[in-house]
Amino acid sequence: MTFEPLGRSLSDFTVELDVYSGPYEWLLALILKDELEIFEVPLRELVESYLLVRRPGAANGLERDTDFAGSAAALILLKSRTLSPAIDADSEGIEDEPLSPEVLAERLTEYLKIRRAAEHLKDRFVLNAGHYTSAHTIAPRQGSLSINLDRVSLAARQAFSRLIEPPVRHLGPITVTLQQLAGIIRTAIAGGPVSYESLTSDMDRMNRAVAFAAALSLAQEGSLTLTQAEPLGPLTLEPSR
Amino acid sequence: MRDQERRPAHLIEAVLLVSARPIGSSDLRSATGLSDQELESALAGLRERYAPESSGIVLREVAGGHLLSTNPACSAAVERFRREARPAPLSGAAHEVLACALYLGPLTRGAVSRVRGVNSDAVIRSLIERNLLVEVGADHDAPGSPALLGVTDEFLAATGASSRKDFPPLDSLVTQEELDRVRERLASSGTAAGSEPS
């Protein structure tokens, strides 16, 4: 997420929120630096604050309105992205499957209870605010050691059990070097452009990978040019002009 | 009051003064060498002495222990002296996450997000930084063994709770009428969504 750099038209706009009090431009900077969580910023109050100080008749009124609308829209987008379920949410997270009415009712009921509990907690936080404890710091002391026999037993079983060897059949001895493949590529492109697919058609997986690395290396040093008309399309190697 | 009679209270007072965390009765006993009876009697006297209406310091029973802290009525002076503002109040989202951890926890980040219906990772990170939430273990039955979150003693102290039992049961927070209303709305919206246009 990026903000278009604001002009200085909003430099005198300050906001007074529970979570922040100061220039609006600094608020944006703090959000972008992750020093202030966007979800903590009440955007409605922010807009209301701006409307209170809006000066439509001022010389730069339109510029101010535009700057504010642009940055506020970016904040809304950022906040909605932050609060939206992750796209790659796994099965343990949030699912996209439509819910049956029964499950939906159950979830709404549960959420309603949590919402009420949250309101109750808010009251308790307010009621108990302003208590400050001793500023005296105590040096950390050693904790008491307790031995959980079940965990000791589990650790012993893991320590003395035979390790399962990871599958390594796909790993063969290294039979080719980057220099060898670079040599093959140089020879191949001496007669003109050649496609990566045809160059590596008779190679195994390892050789193809090394050939690709060699091609990248040659392209970097300027010996050849790699062209690809479209993403994931055929790759062509041709000598540099 | 004779010195001998005052001594247990003095010992407890001194130990409590240097602790920024609640001290449990057993720790107070082992630090002061007092008996159960002496301890209880002295604490009763200290409760009276450090009542909110009679002192700038109050004795609170929070997070399973005893804690001396400043009287909220004097907080403005304390904040001026420490040159720091009171911590920003928590957002509604943060209260919801804490309610999840308190009533449904320990639970994973994914479970919190599922209950709330929105991604809660940023809120959780903020609450962990404020020492109100903590990772208390891992869910070994779930893929990747995600961390389980629970509320901290700091949370109990900040809410003035002695333990989790101090909070009202979750079911008591919503009336049956409210639940019925939710189900009715859901049923009517489902009917409306499923009805054929005439």
Side-chain angles (χ1 to χ4, degrees):
Chain A
M1 173 63 56
T2 56
F3 286 105
E4 286 299 317
L6 288 178
R8 299 295 297 161
S9 62
L10 290 169
S11 58
D12 60 340
F13 174 40
T14 59
V15 291
E16 294 284 338
L17 304 171
D18 280 345
V19 294
Y20 170 82
S21 173
Y24 176 66
E25 291 176 338
W26 291 11
L27 173 70
L28 299 182
L30 288 174
I31 291 170
L32 287 176
K33 286 181 178 177
D34 282 337
E35 293 187 17
L36 189 65
E37 296 284 3
I38 179 70
F39 66 84
E40 297 277 11
V41 180
L43 299 182
R44 186 173 56 83
E45 285 182 33
L46 202 58
V47 174
E48 284 171 355
S49 301
Y50 179 72
L51 292 177
L52 284 176
V53 298
R54 184 169 172 258
R55 298 193 301 266
N60 64 346
L62 184 60
E63 188 188 348
R64 280 170 60 87
D65 288 353
T66 310
D67 278 349
F68 181 76
S71 57
L75 286 177
I76 290 168
L77 181 62
L78 181 61
K79 189 167 188 175
S80 61
R81 282 187 184 167
T82 308
L83 293 176
S84 297
I87 292 169
D88 59 348
D90 54 22
S91 58
E92 196 266 339
I94 298 159
E95 63 275 3
D96 292 331
E97 291 289 317
L99 301 173
S100 68
E102 294 77 23
V103 175
L104 189 57
E106 194 181 320
R107 289 208 179 170
L108 280 176
T109 304
E110 186 178 37
Y111 177 67
L112 184 63
K113 290 177 185 172
I114 288 297
R115 189 79 190 268
R116 288 283 183 280
E119 289 163 8
H120 176 73
L121 283 184
K122 184 180 180 184
D123 293 341
R124 289 190 74 133
F125 272 108
V126 170
L127 203 64
N128 288 279
H131 285 111
Y132 294 97
T133 55
S134 165
H136 180 86
T137 51
I138 302 171
R141 57 183 173 185
Q142 286 185 325
S144 58
L145 180 67
S146 66
I147 297 174
N148 181 328
L149 291 179
D150 289 339
R151 295 193 66 180
V152 171
S153 163
L154 177 66
R157 276 205 304 277
Q158 288 175 343
F160 294 112
S161 62
R162 197 166 64 84
L163 288 175
I164 299 169
E165 294 292 337
V168 291
R169 275 186 301 176
H170 61 288
L171 298 175
I174 296 173
T175 56
V176 67
T177 66
L178 207 61
Q179 286 77 10
Q180 285 171 331
L181 263 303
I184 292 171
I185 292 171
R186 278 201 185 93
T187 309
I189 62 173
V194 60
S195 77
Y196 173 76
E197 283 71 22
S198 64
L199 179 72
T200 59
S201 59
D202 57 346
M203 292 182 186
D204 62 13
R205 206 169 167 185
M206 167 73 83
N207 279 275
R208 280 184 198 169
V210 179
F212 185 68
L216 288 178
S217 182
L218 289 171
Q220 194 176 21
E221 70 178 31
S223 301
L224 62 79
T225 305
L226 288 168
T227 52
Q228 192 173 33
E230 56 181 345
L232 302 177
L235 190 64
T236 304
L237 290 65
E238 55 184 315
S240 292
R241 290 166 192 163
Chain B
M1 190 179 282
R2 289 178 301 168
D3 283 354
Q4 269 183 328
E5 289 169 342
R6 281 201 316 214
R7 193 166 168 269
H10 289 179
L11 294 174
I12 295 168
E13 207 172 19
V15 172
L16 289 176
L17 180 70
V18 294
S19 177
R21 290 164 168 266
I23 307 179
S25 293
S26 61
D27 283 343
L28 270 181
R29 256 197 316 273
S30 81
T32 57
L34 298 172
S35 67
D36 284 354
Q37 199 179 352
E38 287 173 318
L39 186 74
E40 283 312 314
S41 165
L43 280 171
L46 288 175
R47 273 185 213 111
E48 201 173 316
R49 179 170 172 187
Y50 292 120
E53 59 277 6
S54 52
S55 172
I57 294 172
V58 290
L59 178 58
R60 304 169 72 206
E61 285 172 31
V62 289
H66 311 276
L67 179 69
L68 280 183
S69 58
T70 59
N71 190 331
C74 310
S75 62
V78 176
E79 284 156 11
R80 271 197 300 276
F81 172 73
R82 287 167 53 147
R83 292 182 185 173
E84 62 183 42
R86 186 175 293 187
L90 297 171
S91 63
H95 287 119
E96 284 184 14
V97 171
L98 287 172
C100 287
L102 175 68
Y103 285 102
L104 310 176
L107 77 178
T108 63
R109 287 169 169 79
V112 173
S113 296
R114 194 164 51 240
V115 171
R116 298 189 57 236
V118 291
N119 187 322
S120 304
D121 289 354
V123 190
I124 290 169
R125 195 170 56 241
S126 166
L127 290 171
I128 289 175
E129 280 173 9
R130 290 177 74 151
N131 287 330
L132 296 172
L133 267 189
V134 69
E135 293 183 358
V136 294
D139 181 0
H140 295 293
D141 295 332
S145 300
L148 291 168
L149 301 163
V151 293
T152 60
D153 282 352
E154 282 82 356
F155 164 82
L156 293 176
T159 52
S162 183
S163 74
R164 296 164 71 116
K165 290 177 186 167
D166 276 4
F167 296 92
L170 190 57
D171 287 334
S172 71
L173 295 170
V174 182
T175 62
Q176 190 57 43
E177 288 76 29
E178 283 179 295
L179 295 178
D180 291 342
R181 218 176 304 139
V182 168
R183 293 199 179 96
E184 274 170 27
R185 272 190 210 164
L186 199 62
S188 62
S189 64
T191 310
S195 61
E196 293 291 327
S198 54

